[in-house]
Amino acid sequence: AQKVTQAQTEISVVEKEDVTLDCVYETRDTTYYLFWYKQPPSGELVFLIRRNSFDEQNEISGRYSWNFQKSTSSFNFTITASQVVDSAVYFCALSEANAGGTSYGKLTFGQGTILTVHP
Amino acid sequence: GAVVSQHPSWVICKSGTSVKIECRSLDFQATTMFWYRQFPKQSLMLMATSNEGSKATYEQGVEKDKFLINHASLTLSTLTVTSAHPEDSSFYICSARDRKIFNTEAFFGQGTRLTVV
């Protein structure tokens, strides 16, 4: 069975600091997908990124970057120059896929990391 | 595109009554939808997988007679919480897969906050 662990329950930083949210996963599948979602106080899930298990290239999108290390089963998320609007709960999630690479669609979520950015 | 609409956004009901939550894919067809539950300050846990035209598949520990799921069309799945009790108070959120596009993220609705008093 798959499992996602976000060891950091809460992180508090001051605006403009960089912050990294850790995510470690377990799965027996060779093909899988990893995700990060942001959940603001309103509750909706905001999709941030999806990465398949065969693509270990790091990705940068504006102030966000992701580091996928298959060797350590980690998919960490860094926010550079954090802002107050980044305050939210962040979830890492895993979706297993079939041999053809089609995701099953259902997600296993980590426990979430509450990020608070102070002005 | 890829919009999933969930209704209502929040609902308060009396203990013992039933509540229906709708999940609609607005601009795509979804043969599969997923229902998750999130208790306060906790993670999201998959409750069940809803398949169009067939019975839902429930995760271990989820009572299928209490959480009735109906997926009668390619754009609508409903979750009915029957005989709701205060311990059922939670955030319920659905997601849907576009049947025509593989290997994409699941699209989430806005969620429904249920409070049972």
Side-chain angles (χ1 to χ4, degrees):
Chain A
Q2 62 273 33
K3 184 179 179 182
V4 178
T5 302
Q6 294 177 253
Q8 305 147 308
T9 306
E10 292 191 51
I11 299 177
S12 182
V13 298
V14 176
E15 211 170 18
K16 296 185 183 177
E17 283 185 31
D18 298 346
V19 58
T20 295
L21 284 62
D22 298 332
C23 174
V24 175
Y25 63 91
E26 296 174 29
T27 178
R28 293 178 183 170
D29 281 9
T30 55
T31 306
Y32 51 89
Y33 293 86
L34 295 163
F35 302 79
W36 275 96
Y37 286 89
K38 175 182 180 180
Q39 187 178 44
S42 54
E44 80 271 20
L45 287 175
V46 178
F47 168 80
L48 297 178
I49 190 172
R50 180 181 69 106
R51 172 68 71 210
N52 77 52
S53 52
F54 297 110
D55 182 1
E56 287 193 72
Q57 275 193 326
N58 293 329
E59 181 156 341
I60 298 174
S61 176
R63 296 184 297 107
Y64 296 167
S65 62
W66 291 269
N67 182 269
F68 179 26
Q69 297 278 346
K70 212 167 175 180
S71 59
T72 56
S73 297
S74 64
F75 187 44
N76 296 337
F77 171 35
T78 297
I79 302 175
T80 304
S82 60
Q83 300 176 0
V84 173
V85 294
D86 295 328
S87 297
V89 182
Y90 289 86
F91 288 98
C92 180
L94 168 73
S95 172
E96 293 179 331
N98 63 22
T102 299
S103 167
Y104 293 124
K106 57 184 179 180
L107 301 179
T108 297
F109 285 86
Q111 303 91 317
T113 297
I114 302 171
L115 174 64
T116 304
V117 181
H118 298 282
Chain B
V3 177
V4 176
S5 176
Q6 199 170 326
H7 178 81
S9 299
W10 59 271
V11 58
I12 301 173
C13 71
K14 289 186 177 180
S15 188
T17 62
S18 296
V19 175
K20 180 185 283 189
I21 302 169
E22 293 186 347
C23 180
R24 287 182 191 274
S25 56
L26 297 186
D27 51 1
F28 66 96
Q29 293 182 327
T31 49
T32 305
M33 292 187 179
F34 304 94
W35 287 95
Y36 297 83
R37 179 170 54 185
Q38 184 183 27
F39 290 112
K41 299 189 184 299
Q42 294 191 25
S43 186
L44 294 94
M45 300 296 291
L46 179 69
M47 297 176 67
T49 301
S50 167
N51 300 297
E52 187 266 336
S54 64
K55 289 184 178 180
T57 304
Y58 291 82
E59 296 299 302
Q60 194 172 11
V62 177
E63 300 173 57
K64 62 180 180 181
D65 295 329
K66 181 169 183 62
F67 298 99
L68 300 179
I69 291 173
N70 183 280
H71 193 158
S73 79
L74 286 172
T75 58
L76 174 65
S77 176
T78 60
L79 168 68
T80 301
V81 184
T82 61
S83 187
H85 290 286
E87 56 266 29
D88 298 322
S89 298
S90 185
F91 186 67
Y92 294 86
I93 191 166
C94 69
S95 71
R97 295 184 66 196
D98 188 327
R99 69 190 292 236
K100 292 182 180 178
I101 303 176
F102 297 111
N103 305 329
T104 184
E105 76 271 16
F107 303 106
F108 281 89
Q110 312 95 307
T112 297
R113 203 166 298 278
L114 169 64
T115 302
V116 184
V117 298

